[in-house]
Amino acid sequence: MSDSRHGKDGDNGPVFSAEQARQGDIILRTRTRRVVFIAGLVGVVILALVVRLAIG
């Protein structure tokens, strides 16, 4: 009997252990990717401020 936790898990793709999943790198090689990433971070902060002001 094979252990489905290693390798492929049906149609869901590969399954990684916690040790394998740690220390991920965010690779922003192009200017466009950096701009989109920073815009997303700024957007989250602005959304949090708007929600806070709308609530109270």
Side-chain angles (χ1 to χ4, degrees), residues 11-49:
D11 294 332
N12 296 331
V15 176
F16 299 100
S17 69
E19 291 298 322
Q20 291 173 328
R22 288 186 184 173
Q23 302 298 324
D25 292 329
I26 298 173
I27 301 173
L28 303 171
R29 293 184 179 168
T30 64
R31 177 171 166 74
T32 303
R33 289 182 183 181
R34 285 190 295 268
V35 168
V36 169
F37 180 75
I38 299 294
L41 292 177
V42 170
V44 168
V45 171
I46 291 173
L47 179 63
L49 289 173

